[in-house]
Each structure stands twice: as C-alpha cells, then as structure tokens.
Amino acid sequence: MADKTANAMWGGRFAFGPDAVMEAINASIGFDQRLAAQDIAGSRAHAAMLAAVGILSDRDAEAIREGLLAVMSEIEGGTFRFSTALEDIHMNVESRLGELIGEPAKRLHTARSRNDQVAVDFRLWVRDQCDAAEGALVALQRALLGQAERGADWVMPGFTHLQSAQPVTWGHHMMAYVEMLGRDRGRFADARRRMNESPLGAAALAGTSFPIDRERTARELGFDRPMANSLDAVSDRDFALEFLSAASLCAMHLSRLAEELVIWSTAQFRFVRLSDRFSTGSSIMPQKRNPDAAELVRAKTGRVFGASVALLTIMKGLPLAYSKDMQEDKEQVFDAADSLMLALAATTGMMEDLQPDPERMRAAAGAGFATATDLADWLVRAKGMPFREAHHVTGALVALAETKGVDLSDLSLGEMREVHDGITDDVFAVLGVDNSVRSRTSFGGTAPERVREQVARWREMLG
Ligand code: ARG
C-alpha cells in the first residue's frame, strides 16, 4: 500500500492511497453482485459444455457443478463474503469456488473470458427484466380495464391544451392508457427477442481455439442461438439500451398518467380521490391530501431517461471490442429497472384503489360550452350548412349563452332562431354531454358502446 501522504492531491480529502483509489474505481462488486445467479447459471452451462466436448473431465465438471451450487446457496443465505479486492462478481464466485473445491475450480475459466462472461450475465439479467416489466404492465392494464368497465359511460371533460374541449367518457380515457401500455409491452417483447442470443464462447474478443459448443451453452441458457460475431458479442450493449429505451417510453407514459392523477385529485378538480394508501397528509395543513405516490412516479421518470442518456454516452466513443467503460452499464440499468418496476407497482396500486367522482366529472364536462362542436356538426348534418358557416353560427350562440350566463342547452328555441332561423327543436337532442358522447360512435371514438367493445377486446387478449 502506498504512503497515503505521498500524493498531495489526495491529501486530506481521500483518507487512502493510490492503490485503494484504484481498487475503488476498478471494483464493481458493490453493484454487480446482483448478477450472482446469472453468473452461476452461465458458469454451470459453460462447465457442462466443457465436459461434453471433452475439455474437462466429468469428475471436474461434477465438482464444479456442486461447488457452484454451494456458492449460490451461500449467496442466497447471506453468508457469502464479497470482497472488493476480488473486483467483481465473476472473480468473487470463482475464488470462493476454489476455496470450496480446490484445483478443478481453476479449470472453469478455460475457453472463456470475463468479457463474454459479463455479457452473458448481464443479458440474462436484462432478459428477466423484460419479462418482469411485461408482467407488471399486464397487471396495470387489468387495473385500468377495471376502471374503464365501471365508468364506460361516465362523462368527463376531454382536454386539448388542458382546456375543456369536448366531453369524453372516463372509460375512453382509461383505455387510452391501456393502448399505450400495450405498445410498451410490444417494445419489451421485441427487445427481448432481439437480445436473446448468447455471447458465451466469444471469449476475450476473438473466439477460442478450443473445440467449444456454443449452440449447446446457448440452448442451456434459454438463448435462441449463439451470437455470430465474437467481437460484436463482447462489445455490444444494444440489448441494455433497447431495454432502457423501452423503459423510458413506459416511464413517460406512467408519468403522464401520474400527472393527470395529480391534477384530478386537486381541490379544484376533485375528479378522483386517491386512497389513503397512496397519499399522505400534510404535517401542518390538515385539509391536505398529497398525491405523493403519483408525484414520485412522475419523478422516477428522470432516473430512467438519465440512465438511457448515460449509457448511450458511455458507449458512443468505444472502439471494438471490450473496454472497461462498459462496467458502468450496470448501475444505470439496475437503477432504471428498479425505478420502473416500482413506478409500475405504485401506479397499479393507485389505479386499483382510485375512487373517481362521476358527478364532479359530469358537472365539469358540461361547463365551458363543451358541446359547441356538437351543435356545429348538427347544423352541418341536419341543415346542410357548410362547416365554416356552422362554426360561425355556433360561435354566435355561444356568445349569446355566455351573456345570459346559461348553458347552450338552456337557450330557448326562439333565442336560437334569432341567431339563425333554420334551427329546429330537434337541436336539443344533440345538446348535453350524454348526447355528445353517445353520438361519437366512430371507430376509436368515445361513445360508451365503443369503449365497451374495446374493453371486451382487451379482456380477451389478456386472457
Ligand atoms: N466487471 C467487469 C465488467 O463489468 C467484468 C469484465 C471485466 N473484463 C476485463 N477484461 N477486465 O465489465
């Protein structure tokens, strides 16, 4: 160990010398211990293959197999002692294996390098995360379907520019998120399919002179095939980036929903009430219920986006094949995956518990002349008026209602006819928020019957 006072730069700020600094910057065991199960699975597959092709004796392979199982149970049981001096999970496992079984442990690393080893471990880990995200997304879709089904015909304001635009149904709004999450699932599934090739056997970068069987290890680990180029196999982190991209889009969707929950739960809106489980009281303002979980779902998005930018930045300047820079991939992906899974769980909980207030939503839906477009459309449909003119007439009717301080449907037929004498009393059938949403029956529209069809379609798809 170098004299810690020898380098003025480290002086009092770092109470350790250059060797310790090197160990600290170089070691990844503090975080890559999360890859223990994958590392051991990869080593087991590798050892079994080495024996099958005659590179290892069956005895040695058996000793390695049992030793690895013992190491795994030590790790699971929390008795394993991780050492920073041993740098990473690969060396920690191998070193402990040596202590347990002796000489055969030294043969495990034949025809392998930590470069292909870490690529396998991390791919397996990210693959599991794709599956976990898929499962969590289905759970959230189910919660949203439950909301949509209950409120297929609850009317609420639909917004553009966050200004009341046209009435929509609660069910329709919920189903918009079901669609988004469906695309998210597709992205995770797609990324998973592409990443499901095995880097094992690429060795350090060039392949190996040993007669290994890469098909066999690929199959054993559930990969579709071995990766076709060894340089690519050890230098590729696209799989992690694709995961982060899918996670970013998904987190963005969750953040938008969270933002709506924050808005809808304000005293001004009161469209929904979040359950006690997902909100907190203020320590000094007794009237308050804060949507903390929704706010944190919204905020976690930053970490996921950040991870994506960080890893893209790490990778962008790297020559082929492996560089130690790539060790920085893991914390980003771990943090993004944890954040996403937590956000999904919190959102599912919030949506399961959420108590919408159909009366409040309905009252708000009628405010602000939200059915003006229906009136204009009616003038076109029933009276053959050009849309531009209908828009103008409707504008005049809205102005009239506004000066009288009433809603469009409260104007009398006489008052309307003063604005335009072609108006007849069947106009009242299109005014009012229920008529408005019921009339929007075009495919994908907000009409309750359309919403129910979509709910049924998704229920069928989710099984
Ligand atoms: N801990 C390293 C990582 O995460 C493992 C690979 C190390 N390879 C090497 N040649 N030093 O990337």
Side-chain angles (χ1 to χ4, degrees), residues 28 32 87-88 90 114-115 118 322 324 326-327 330:
S28 54
D32 70 11
E87 248 187 70
D88 56 25
H90 323 297
R114 274 191 292 156
N115 296 350
V118 72
Y322 177 86
K324 197 62 175 267
M326 289 159 72
Q327 175 166 290
K330 288 166 214 64

Side-chain angles (χ1 to χ4, degrees), residues 301-319:
T301 310
R303 305 171 73 121
V304 182
F305 292 1
S308 179
V309 173
L311 186 52
L312 283 167
T313 311
I314 289 163
M315 296 305 294
K316 72 176 261 298
L318 299 187

